[in-house]
């Protein structure tokens, strides 16, 4: 018994906050936390001089950030000397495991780690000082996030004491508060992970108790070996069941007087608390309960059993009346001597032979008043609120090691700590009013015990006669009447052999037993009433606590445990090198410009002039000028309509481009401007600029103007160039969007993809800054750009990205090479125009109350038809009567007469049309009677009328039956309009639309409202922090509540409403769906596009609907919210284009721009950590945001499954920098081109041949093969050939690479008539260099010259005459006198070489390949040329 009292007194817990306890219980999760080492100079030098024998240790406590409440019990590590801090680097090693389990799965439940140093002062007293603390997050902020990994982490430490967390200025997130100061250079290394091996032993550990693996836990076997960590892999002791029989309680002086005095004290307490009188005769004892449970000093091992005790005389009278048994004289005792007895046997299966395991008995009274406080009869529904439970007495018994017997224990009461941590009725004292009670004790409990069910408990006792003896003879197998249905081994109590019934009586439905602490959440036997005198805090934990942060005692513990060494493999954080990092696309300024002569020719080409609203030329702005954005000037502009013009002028080829590479004949462009759909321009012909020879040659480039094509492929005779117009006016913008459009122009760049119009290959990409389109009060502005078109070449480990990824100041991706292909001459303009009609004001935000939707307008029945639309009628509430067949297509299809008469007048429902039809029918019948004198015609007319009458009768029967069938449904749908509220949302992709619904309870009774939502994109805001974030962003000042909803797993959440109460229910609508998939890039059209116009309102972005039904307790709706969602086009900030083999996985990491760091910051320097989150519009795409560490850049990881070739998969990636994913900061459009993969292993300079299978489509097509590297890959046939339908044809490919390494070559098969992609291949080259047999070195003059002729010799090593072919990897620098030659056996041949000069000095290695007649490499010479 002493072991139990010692453990029980040492492990008292502070309960969680009452508001946190009221939340629904969840599964408890076990954790293992290993505190490894403390790094940094944490202890000041001055402290070491004042104190001696300085040591330090760690303290860990649980803390609730929401309610600023410490709970549980503070855990301490072993004390370590601070001498280790004097070493370099300063470090204190702990390596102590910590275990706990909790069901409070909430991000604001954290562990606070405190560093405490202690030493002796000069007078010898021990002093403890706090050196810092850290906040260890246990649960992730994402509810569905995976379990944390077991890798080591670093915990930042802050100055001060954990008591600072109680300050009201510290708001969540606490780590970002300005009131906390980080200790520079100090951190705690730890690991935290779930610990599933602890789950079988959770019943031995109370929830929220922090224990060490070195601490002895009653019920567990010691750890094997020398580790001492018994909780790493806990082993349970074997349970020995115990049986208790003949349990009886004796209360002094007698049961009747004891209960009478108890009721008198309850009456006096009521008078003292409420001040109102209460008649003691109105109180009655409803039940006497016994709680029996096994306790190991830390907590109850299982939930205590609850059984009913009855007076001994009641047992005797019940048996006498039911079975006519004769009651012995010994049982006919007076009421004053009777005891409380249990009529069943108790089985305790969870007992363990351990000194700390005891059996706890608790006597509880249930007291109920049958009438109200004023004497009036209380309603039946209020009986549950009048039942109160009081703990009267308790006792503790430690079973012996073996044997059976009988024991008598004293009962305890008063303020003494007990196992249930609740208040207990006081024990007798000298101040009691009754003279008899003064002289007696607090009571006793008697029972018999045995360790097995086979032993008989017929021991001779004075009280063993009468009903108790009869109970022994009529025992039944133990059962559990008082607990929920469980398995047979866990049965707790025996069924009573009494007509009263087994177990507890009906009052269990009125008042339930106290919910004691339990290691696993279980469903209670019944609901607990709110009028119980014990609060949840009193019911679960004591009033005094063991959190040392709130105590003054910081003394060193008496026992010091040795640290345990955990031999466990730790996962190391690695960055996979096979995934290259792709950097965002910056805008690239043009370094080389056309000559003035070329600009004159370009200006005189006849491009249309851009004019303002008054017909004057738009003001020209230089692209080098810096733009100062004045948002007030933009909003005050009277020209509210912006007409953005994109004018494509010309395309120039740069001199750096390989001259052997053919220049495309036609091009087209794809881009997306603001919220407009993706634009694909028509094909444009490249026409060389006239008389540009000298100028072009001097500049080293050729310029081609862009001319639109007609439908037949001929050039357009109109003005050259292409103009696209985008009108952004108040009709296009939604309220408050004007500032967003201005911000878009000021900060974003428009990305253009340039495509070859014939081969459909991507030439490159260009970025256009849009800041010069801001008019700043001017009527019109225009700016001319020369944009660099950059193509991206890549190796096999890096996929292509459309855009410049190697700009100045950016990190070049791994294995990605950029090539400048040309320059695009483009003019941007913004023409201001006045609005014809005044629409909504896009510069003014809607009032804040528009975020609050009220159902006050509902509640009235508007009346009207049951079949017509339920839309509002603003003028008059008038509905014109109509035929059922005209308003219901289902009924019309079943009628015979309507089908015949409605053929000629389908779609006409006006009354004038019906009158006209009736007049025509009368005239037809009159003419038939006047001209039908013949007998046959009269007979035919009579038969027709009979048939028509029969059809009318049948149709009337069908109509009557149809009306009866739909009457109830139609009336219900119309009546639901009285409680329905309509609202329209304008939502863009990824943006969260927040609003509140003011829900009012229209009844005079409280209701638990269930909220049902039929759209997964609409959700309730359950987290109060998220709710506060959206309210602050929207500027709402409506009430905010903590723990507003009752969650029940996957079931709909519930909300409690008081009578006539109005509650604001927060909602959030957020969609990541883009609608029907689109192919990108679209097939270029042959029509000339002039005006891009506004985005389509139908087809591409359909209207969505959502409905929210608020159902009361009975299932009837009290309010209905009908939402209409109008999707808005999204803004694409950047476009990525990846080419990947078909039916494989693309894994790519895109590095985000460091917008949260200043330029020149040191790597690893502390900076504000911006949370980055990524979401994808395609649920089948894995999209995650990775952060390597503090101060490191963020990467967005993509994993996409490619489809069959030539499928193009497109999706959107949305980037957020707020934890609630409210407003996107970046939106990326990602295209994945799936191509057939062909692997080729070859040698540079040598021809490798292969064949590809081409399958025909359903029709005959004229196709042609195009390649991205025509100098290295040739096809046969070369030109256009016919592909038969459903046929199979071989396409012969010859590959001759000029440089070693791994890279990709694109091969397209295009329909030349329709300009459609028929097939596409991704040729994966793996090239190696041949063995160099000879090397030469030559020095030449750089600059403009005539070149140099050189000669080398080659000897035929074969005994026969051979033909050889010559090739070179730099044909622009070296030409051969002859490309092939013949040489006899053993003869030597002289090769003539001509080296052309290079403009700039430097060195170049030129390889000369000598191949045989099969184009296999025979020799390879290397010539190292130095240009001076």
């Amino acid at each position: 018994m002493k072991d139990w009292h010692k453990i029980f007194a040492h492990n008292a817990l502070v309960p969680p906050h009452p508001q946190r306890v009221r939340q629904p219980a969840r599964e408890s999760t076990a954790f293992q936390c290993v505190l490894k080492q403390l790094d940094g100079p944490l202890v000041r030098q001055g402290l070491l001089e004042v104190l001696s024998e300085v040591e330090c240790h760690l303290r860990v406590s649980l803390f609730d950030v929401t309610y600023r409440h410490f709970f549980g019990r503070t855990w301490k590590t072993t004390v370590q000397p601070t001498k280790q801090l004097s070493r370099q680097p300063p470090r204190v090693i702990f390596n102590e495991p910590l275990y706990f389990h909790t069901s409070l799965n909430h991000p604001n439940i954290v562990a606070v780690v405190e560093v405490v140093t202690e030493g002796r002062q000069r007078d010898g007293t021990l002093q403890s000082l706090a050196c810092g603390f850290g906040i260890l997050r246990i649960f992730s902020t994402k509810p569905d996030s995976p379990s944390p990994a077991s890798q080591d982490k670093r915990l930042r430490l802050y100055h001060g004491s954990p008591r600072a967390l109680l300050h009201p200025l510290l708001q969540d997130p606490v780590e970002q508060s300005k009131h906390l100061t980080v200790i520079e250079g100090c951190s705690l290394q730890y690991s935290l992970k779930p610990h599933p091996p602890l789950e079988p032993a959770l019943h031995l550990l109370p929830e929220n108790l922090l224990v060490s693996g070195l601490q002895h836990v009653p019920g567990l076997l010691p750890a094997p070996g020398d580790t001492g960590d018994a909780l790493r892999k806990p082993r349970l002791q074997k349970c020995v069941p115990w049986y208790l029989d003949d349990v009886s309680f004796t209360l002094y002086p007698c049961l009747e007087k004891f209960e009478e005095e108890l009721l008198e004290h309850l009456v006096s307490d009521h008078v003292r608390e409420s001040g109102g009188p209460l008649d003691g005769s109105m109180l009655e004892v409803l039940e006497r309960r016994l709680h029996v449970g096994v306790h190991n000093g830390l907590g109850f091992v299982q939930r205590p059993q609850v059984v009913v005790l009855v007076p001994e005389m009641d047992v005797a009278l019940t048996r006498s009346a039911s079975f006519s048994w004769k009651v012995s004289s010994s049982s006919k005792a007076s009421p004053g001597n009777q005891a409380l007895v249990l009529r069943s046997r108790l089985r305790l299966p969870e007992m363990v032979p351990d000194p700390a395991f005891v059996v706890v008995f608790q006597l509880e009274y249930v007291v109920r008043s049958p009438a109200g406080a004023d004497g009036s009869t209380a309603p039946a529904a209020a009986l549950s609120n009048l039942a109160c439970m009081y703990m009267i007495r308790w006792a503790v018994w430690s079973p012996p090691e073996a044997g059976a017997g009988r024991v008598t224990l004293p009962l305890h009461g008063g303020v003494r700590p007990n196992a249930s941590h609740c208040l207990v009725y006081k024990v007798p004292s000298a101040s009691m009013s009754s003279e008899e009670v003064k002289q007696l004790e607090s009571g006793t409990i008697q029972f018999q015990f045995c360790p097995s069910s086979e032993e008989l408990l017929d021991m001779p006792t004075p009280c063993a006669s009468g009903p108790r003896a009869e109970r022994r003879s009529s025992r039944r197998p133990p059962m559990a009447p008082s607990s929920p249905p469980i398995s047979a081994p866990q049965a707790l109590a025996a069924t009573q052999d009494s007509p009263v019934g087994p177990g507890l009586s009906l009052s269990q439905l009125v008042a339930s037993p106290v919910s004691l602490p339990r290691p696993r959440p279980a469903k209670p036997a019944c609901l607990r009433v709110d009028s119980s005198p014990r609060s949840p805090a009193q019911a679960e934990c004591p009033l005094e606590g063991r959190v040392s942060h709130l105590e003054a005692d910081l003394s060193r513990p008496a026992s010091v445990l040795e640290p345990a060494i955990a031999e466990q493999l730790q996962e190391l954080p690695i960055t996979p090198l096979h995934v290259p990092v792709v950097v965002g696309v910056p805008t690239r300024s043009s370094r080389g410009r056309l000559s003035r002569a070329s600009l004159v020719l370009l200006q005189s080409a006849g491009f249309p002039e851009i004019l303002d609203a008054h017909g004057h030329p738009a003001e020209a702005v230089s692209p080098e000028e810096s733009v100062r954005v004045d948002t007030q000037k933009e909003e005050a502009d009277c020209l509210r309509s912006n007409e953005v013009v994109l004018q494509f002028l010309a395309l120039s080829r740069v001199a750096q481009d390989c001259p052997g590479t053919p220049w495309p004949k036609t091009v087209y462009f794809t881009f997306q401007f603001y919220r407009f759909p993706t634009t694909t321009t028509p094909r444009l012909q490249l026409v060389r600029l006239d008389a540009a020879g000298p100028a072009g040659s001097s500049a080293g480039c050729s310029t081609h103007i862009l001319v639109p094509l007609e439908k037949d492929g001929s050039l357009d005779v109109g003005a050259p160039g292409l103009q696209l117009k985008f009108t952004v006016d108040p009709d296009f913008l939604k309220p408050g969007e004007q500032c967003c459009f201005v911000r878009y122009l000021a900060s974003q760049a428009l990305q253009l993809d340039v495509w070859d119009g014939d081969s459909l290959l991507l030439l490159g990409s260009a970025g256009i800054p849009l800041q010069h389109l801001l008019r700043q009060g001017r009527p019109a502005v225009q700016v001319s750009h020369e944009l660099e078109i950059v193509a991206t070449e890549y190796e096999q480990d890096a996929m292509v990205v459309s855009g410049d990824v190697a700009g100045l100041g950016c990190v070049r991706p791994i294995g990605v090479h950029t090539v400048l292909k040309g320059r695009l001459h483009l003019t941007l303009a913004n023409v201001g125009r006045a609005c014809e009609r005044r629409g909504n004001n896009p510069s003014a935000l809607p009032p804040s109350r528009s975020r609050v939707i009220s159902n006050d307008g509902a509640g009235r029945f508007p009346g009207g038809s049951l079949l017509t639309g339920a839309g509002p009628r603003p003028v008059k509430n008038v509905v014109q009567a109509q035929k059922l067949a005209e308003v219901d297509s289902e009924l019309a299809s079943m009628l015979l007469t309507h089908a015949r008469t409605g053929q000629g007048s389908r779609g006409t429902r006006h009354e004038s049309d019906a009158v006209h039809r009736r007049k025509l029918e009368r005239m037809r019948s009159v003419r038939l009677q006047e001209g039908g004198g013949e007998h046959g015609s009269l007979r035919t007319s009579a038969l027709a009328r009979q048939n028509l009458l029969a059809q009318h009768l049948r149709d009337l029967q069908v109509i009557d039956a149809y009306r009866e069938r739909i009457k109830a449904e139609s009336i219900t749908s119309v009546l639901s309009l009285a409680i329905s509220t309509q609202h329209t949302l304008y939502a863009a992709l990824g943006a969260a639309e927040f609003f509140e619904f003011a829900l009012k309870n229209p009844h005079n009774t409280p209701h638990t409202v269930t909220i049902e939502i039929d759209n997964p994109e609409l959700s309730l805001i359950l987290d109060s922090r998220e709710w506060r974030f959206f309210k602050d962003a929207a500027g709402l000042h409506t009430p905010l509540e903590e723990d507003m909803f009752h969650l029940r797993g996957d079931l709909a959440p519930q909300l409690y409403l008081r009578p006539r109460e109005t509650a604001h229910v927060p909602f959030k609508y957020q969609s990541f769906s883009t609608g029907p998939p689109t192919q990108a890039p679209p097939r270029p059209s042959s029509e000339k596009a002039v005006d891009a116009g506004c985005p389509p309102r139908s087809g591409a972005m359909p209207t969505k609907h959502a409905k929210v039904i608020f159902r009361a307790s009975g299932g009837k709706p009290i309010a209905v919210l009908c939402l209409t969602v109008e999707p808005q086009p999204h803004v694409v900030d950047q476009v990525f284009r990846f080419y990947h083999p078909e039916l494989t996985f693309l894994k790519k990491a895109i590095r985000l721009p460091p917008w949260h760091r200043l330029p020149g910051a040191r790597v690893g320097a502390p900076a504000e950590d911006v949370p980055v989150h990524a979401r994808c519009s395609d649920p089948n795409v894995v999209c995650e945001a990775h952060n390597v560490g503090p101060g490191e850049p963020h990467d967005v990881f993509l994993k996409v499954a490619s489809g069959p070739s030539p499928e193009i998969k497109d999706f959107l990636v949305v980037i957020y920098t707020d934890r609630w994913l409210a407003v996107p900061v970046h939106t990326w459009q990602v295209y994945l081109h799936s191509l057939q993969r062909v692997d080729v292993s070859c040698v540079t300079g040598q021809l490798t041949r292969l064949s590809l299978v081409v399958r025909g489509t359903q029709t005959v097509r004229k196709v042609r093969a195009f390649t991205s590297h025509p100098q290295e890959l040739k096809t046969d046939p070369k030109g256009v050939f016919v592909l038969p339908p459903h046929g199979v044809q071989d396409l012969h490919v010859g590959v001759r690479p000029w440089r070693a390494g791994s890279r990709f070559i694109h091969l397209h098969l295009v329909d030349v008539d329709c300009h459609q992609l028929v097939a596409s291949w991704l040729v994966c080259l793996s090239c190696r260099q041949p063995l160099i047999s000879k090397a030469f070195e030559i020095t030449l003059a750089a600059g403009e010259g005539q070149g140099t002729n050189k000669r080398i010799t080659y000897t035929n090593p074969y005994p026969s005459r051979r033909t050889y072919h010559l090739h070179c990897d730099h044909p622009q620098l070296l030409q051969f006198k002859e490309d092939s030659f013949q040489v006899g056996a053993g003869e030597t041949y002289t090769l003539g070489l001509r080296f052309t000069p290079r403009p700039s000095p430097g060195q170049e290695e030129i390889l000369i390949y000598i191949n045989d007649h099969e184009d296999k490499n025979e020799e390879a010479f290397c010539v190292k040329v130095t240009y001076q």
Side-chain angles (χ1 to χ4, degrees), residues 1216-1264:
Y1216 301 89
T1217 55
D1218 60 277
R1219 63 181 301 184
W1220 306 116
L1221 312 184
V1223 181
V1225 295
H1226 277 267
T1227 302
W1228 299 338
Q1229 181 87 45
V1230 181
Y1231 294 101
L1232 177 60
H1233 298 250
S1234 301
L1235 298 88
Q1236 302 180 51
R1237 177 171 182 144
V1238 179
D1239 294 297
V1240 180
S1241 179
C1242 52
V1243 181
T1244 57
Q1246 177 176 301
L1247 183 63
T1248 302
R1249 297 179 177 86
L1250 65 150
S1251 296
L1252 302 177
V1253 178
V1254 181
R1255 301 185 183 275
T1257 59
Q1258 297 180 357
T1259 60
V1260 179
R1261 291 182 180 269
K1262 294 172 61 178
V1263 296
R1264 183 181 176 183

Side-chain angles (χ1 to χ4, degrees), residues 951-977:
Q951 292 177 3
H952 276 297
L953 292 177
R954 176 192 172 278
D955 289 347
L956 289 176
Q957 295 175 358
V958 172
I959 292 174
D960 185 63
Y962 185 78
R963 289 184 60 193
E964 292 297 328
R965 183 171 67 87
I966 68 171
K967 182 184 297 184
E969 179 182 356
S970 301
I971 293 176
T972 303
S973 62
V974 172
L975 290 180
S976 65
L977 299 178

Side-chain angles (χ1 to χ4, degrees), residues 625-639:
E625 292 182 2
S626 60
V627 179
R628 296 184 59 183
V629 182
D630 188 352
T631 56
Q632 295 182 357
K633 186 178 293 185
E634 289 288 337
E635 294 177 359
D637 193 355
C638 59
L639 302 177

Side-chain angles (χ1 to χ4, degrees), residues 553-567:
D553 183 14
L554 297 176
S555 60
R556 175 177 174 177
S559 61
V560 179
L561 302 177
E562 296 295 333
I565 302 177
E567 298 178 358

Side-chain angles (χ1 to χ4, degrees), residues 1276-1405:
D1276 184 24
K1278 297 182 180 179
V1280 179
F1281 62 95
V1282 177
L1283 183 63
H1286 304 290
V1288 177
Q1289 189 169 344
D1290 290 338
L1291 180 64
H1292 303 282
V1293 178
V1295 181
R1296 190 194 305 274
W1298 295 120
R1299 60 184 177 90
S1302 300
R1303 63 186 185 278
F1304 294 138
I1305 296 179
H1306 297 273
L1307 179 61
H1308 282 189
L1309 192 65
V1310 181
D1311 188 331
V1312 295
D1313 294 332
C1314 302
H1315 299 285
Q1316 291 180 342
L1317 187 63
V1318 178
S1320 59
W1321 291 271
L1322 190 65
V1323 182
C1324 306
L1325 298 183
S1326 178
C1327 309
R1328 61 178 179 86
Q1329 203 174 51
L1331 182 64
I1332 305 298
S1333 57
K1334 293 182 181 181
F1336 305 91
E1337 188 171 5
I1338 185 176
T1339 302
L1340 300 176
E1344 299 293 336
Q1346 297 181 357
T1348 305
N1349 296 324
K1350 299 293 181 180
R1351 294 181 299 174
I1352 59 176
T1353 59
Y1354 176 75
T1355 302
N1356 181 13
Y1358 296 101
S1360 60
R1361 188 176 184 84
R1362 294 294 180 95
T1363 300
Y1364 296 96
H1365 303 274
L1366 298 177
H1367 300 281
C1368 174
D1369 62 343
H1370 288 76
Q1372 72 276 11
L1373 299 179
L1374 175 61
Q1375 290 84 32
F1376 299 104
K1377 182 180 180 181
E1378 49 188 357
D1379 294 336
S1380 62
F1381 64 94
Q1382 291 184 354
V1383 59
E1387 295 181 0
T1388 301
Y1389 187 82
T1390 302
L1391 306 178
L1393 310 177
R1394 180 175 178 81
F1395 293 90
T1396 58
R1398 199 175 74 165
S1400 59
Q1403 289 185 351
E1404 196 74 51
E1405 288 187 356

Side-chain angles (χ1 to χ4, degrees), residues 868-1197:
T868 55
R873 291 176 290 274
V875 182
K876 292 186 298 182
N877 192 7
V878 177
V879 176
Q880 184 179 0
Q882 295 176 330
K883 292 183 178 181
L884 288 177
E886 295 179 355
V887 297
D888 197 314
S889 58
E890 181 183 2
L891 176 61
S893 62
M894 295 185 296
L895 300 182
L896 298 177
T897 57
H898 180 77
R900 185 180 68 254
T901 58
Q903 292 178 357
S905 59
R906 181 173 301 174
T908 60
R909 298 181 180 180
H910 297 89
E911 184 179 1
S912 59
D913 297 336
V915 172
H916 182 66
R917 289 197 304 269
R918 287 196 300 269
K919 290 181 179 180
L920 290 178
E921 289 293 338
R922 290 198 206 101
M923 186 174 295
R924 188 181 298 108
S925 60
V926 169
R927 289 181 178 179
L928 182 62
Q929 291 179 1
E930 291 178 352
E934 299 180 0
H935 180 72
S937 60
L938 293 176
R939 181 179 302 175
T940 304
S941 176
L943 293 176
R945 285 196 298 271
Q946 291 180 1
N947 293 335
L948 183 60
L949 181 59
Q951 292 177 3
H952 276 297
L953 292 177
R954 176 192 172 278
D955 289 347
L956 289 176
Q957 295 175 358
V958 172
I959 292 174
D960 185 63
Y962 185 78
R963 289 184 60 193
E964 292 297 328
R965 183 171 67 87
I966 68 171
K967 182 184 297 184
E969 179 182 356
S970 301
I971 293 176
T972 303
S973 62
V974 172
L975 290 180
S976 65
L977 299 178
I979 59 173
S980 298
T981 304
Q982 305 287 336
H983 186 70
T984 302
L985 292 177
Y986 298 90
L989 181 130
E993 293 292 334
F994 162 74
F995 64 92
E996 294 180 354
F997 182 74
L999 178 63
K1000 182 178 181 180
N1001 181 9
H1003 304 104
N1004 293 324
T1005 57
H1007 282 290
T1008 299
V1009 181
T1010 303
I1011 305 174
E1012 301 177 358
I1013 305 175
D1014 65 348
N1015 194 328
E1017 296 176 345
L1018 180 65
S1019 60
L1020 282 170
I1021 298 180
L1022 305 177
D1023 197 319
S1024 60
R1025 297 169 298 171
E1026 182 180 5
W1027 192 4
R1028 182 180 292 106
F1029 172 83
F1030 281 104
K1031 288 174 74 71
D1032 294 342
L1036 288 184
H1037 303 287
T1038 52
L1040 186 143
E1041 302 181 30
E1042 297 278 351
D1043 302 327
M1044 186 174 182
F1045 303 100
H1046 172 57
L1047 304 179
R1048 304 171 298 164
D1050 296 335
L1051 300 179
Q1054 292 181 335
L1055 172 67
Y1056 180 81
L1057 285 181
R1058 299 175 179 87
R1060 299 291 179 178
E1061 182 188 16
T1062 299
H1064 290 263
V1065 183
F1067 288 93
K1068 178 181 69 173
Y1069 181 86
Q1070 192 169 29
S1071 174
F1072 295 97
S1073 175
T1074 57
T1078 57
Q1079 291 290 332
R1083 181 176 60 86
S1085 173
S1086 59
E1087 299 180 0
K1088 182 178 179 181
V1090 178
D1091 193 350
C1094 296
R1097 293 296 179 181
S1098 61
M1101 303 183 68
T1103 302
K1104 301 180 181 180
H1105 300 276
K1107 179 181 289 187
V1108 184
I1109 302 178
F1110 302 88
R1111 298 188 183 275
S1113 305
K1116 296 183 179 180
I1118 62 173
V1120 178
L1121 174 61
C1122 300
L1123 290 178
T1124 301
V1125 182
E1126 296 290 346
Q1128 298 296 306
H1130 47 272
V1131 177
V1132 175
D1133 300 301
Q1134 191 169 340
V1135 179
F1136 293 94
R1137 229 173 264 282
F1138 300 106
Y1139 295 87
H1140 199 69
E1142 63 177 349
L1143 304 179
T1144 56
F1145 281 99
L1146 168 70
K1147 299 178 181 179
K1148 190 60 57 183
I1150 303 176
R1151 177 152 294 176
L1152 294 172
W1155 61 77
H1156 58 284
R1157 292 183 61 85
L1158 297 176
R1162 179 176 57 86
V1163 174
E1168 183 180 358
D1169 190 13
V1170 178
V1172 176
H1173 306 275
R1175 291 294 182 270
C1176 183
S1177 62
D1178 190 348
N1180 298 321
V1181 176
V1182 177
C1183 180
E1184 299 175 350
H1186 288 174
N1187 184 13
V1188 181
E1192 297 294 332
H1194 293 269
D1195 293 340
V1196 176
F1197 176 76

